[in-house]
Amino acid sequence: MRVWHAIGRQLGNPQGLAGAIMGRMMRLANDRPTRLAVAAMGVKQGDSILDMGFGPGHAIELIAATARVVHGIDQSDAMLLQASCRNRKAIAEKRVTLATGSFATLPYPNDWFDGILASNVAYFWHDEHAILSEIRRVLKPGGRLCIYVTDAATMKHWRFADGHTHRHIDAGQLTDMLLHAGFDPGHIDVQSVPVTRRINGIVAVAYAKDRMDLQALTRI
């Protein structure tokens, strides 16, 4: 059990040599989820995008092919190294900027991003309300948040992803999370997506309300 728990902890925050190995495994295992999430977000030319929890940097690479500029933040130094190597050309061209930091205190100005991607990281959000508040703060009015998680019904069978290291999330919980965070209830789309024959994922796309709507909400 300790081995599985250690694997789960590394998935949440890869560290050292084991974390570097985990990052390479994540790149392979998460290829389809990453592509599904990036496609769902619908990156446009001219967009400024944030990838929260960029891991080995695959989504950064996909997004940078279209977006004007891509920022990434992750808590793992091991993932910063891998993602930087993978995206060295775009970093040199100043189209990609990567950093380590906390999701609960994002180092970006208000209304900065057209889109935010959070793929395979919501399981580890211990301060969900603070993180979602920060996401709303840095999203432009009408900006979009795209979240990918593996469905709780699939994850409950994975010994490395028990409740000690991973929060299990289903479609209803993800919808409630976005509603409580103040995203526009008329523009929240949560869909189940097949990853493999035995793995189901959930992709959610939610749009931020404009500032007038948010101000009205705070007066209720």
Side-chain angles (χ1 to χ4, degrees), residues 41 44 139 142-145 182-185 187-188 205-209:
M41 192 165 61
K44 303 177 181 65
L139 263 180
R144 60 208 182 275
L145 166 66
F183 284 89
D184 187 344
H187 293 88
I188 296 175
V205 179
Y207 285 79
K209 295 180 179 181

Side-chain angles (χ1 to χ4, degrees), residues 136 211-220:
R136 273 181 33 211
R211 293 299 173 222
M212 292 297 292
D213 288 340
L214 288 175
Q215 290 169 5
L217 186 65
T218 61
R219 293 195 294 269
I220 295 175

Side-chain angles (χ1 to χ4, degrees), residues 176-195:
D176 288 343
M177 183 190 307
L178 295 168
L179 287 170
H180 292 158
F183 284 89
D184 187 344
H187 293 88
I188 296 175
D189 183 26
V190 180
Q191 296 190 21
S192 177
V193 292
V195 178

Side-chain angles (χ1 to χ4, degrees), residues 39-118:
M41 192 165 61
V43 181
K44 303 177 181 65
Q45 290 186 352
D47 275 352
S48 175
I49 303 293
L50 172 64
D51 184 0
M52 294 178 59
F54 52 73
H58 184 205
I60 295 283
E61 181 182 27
L62 296 175
I63 294 167
T66 302
R68 175 178 58 85
V69 63
V70 186
H71 288 259
I73 188 165
D74 199 294
Q75 62 181 340
S76 168
D77 290 330
M79 294 300 93
L80 177 62
L81 178 60
Q82 283 194 19
S84 296
C85 290
R86 185 175 193 89
N87 294 278
R88 61 169 63 89
K89 184 174 184 292
I91 291 172
E93 295 170 349
K94 301 188 183 305
R95 295 186 295 108
V96 168
T97 302
L98 305 179
T100 56
S102 168
F103 297 163
T105 53
L106 294 174
Y108 310 107
N110 295 349
D111 304 336
W112 194 250
F113 295 106
D114 299 288
I116 297 178
L117 176 69

Side-chain angles (χ1 to χ4, degrees), residues 124-145:
F124 312 113
W125 288 357
H126 302 298
D127 195 349
E128 169 192 316
H129 298 296
I131 292 170
L132 286 167
S133 178
E134 279 291 271
I135 287 173
R136 273 181 33 211
R137 179 183 68 79
V138 302
L139 263 180
K140 295 177 181 178
R144 60 208 182 275
L145 166 66

Side-chain angles (χ1 to χ4, degrees), residues 7 11 21-36 56 58 119-120 123 148 150 158 160 194-196 199-201:
I7 292 172
L11 287 168
I21 294 171
M22 189 63 65
R24 298 187 185 283
M25 294 173 63
M26 288 163 55
R27 162 64 184 88
L28 296 174
N30 292 334
D31 180 76
R32 178 165 167 77
T34 297
R35 293 179 184 277
L36 287 169
H58 184 205
S119 182
N120 272 314
Y123 327 110
Y148 171 88
T150 300
W158 294 349
F160 60 82
V195 178
T196 70
I199 299 174
N200 286 318

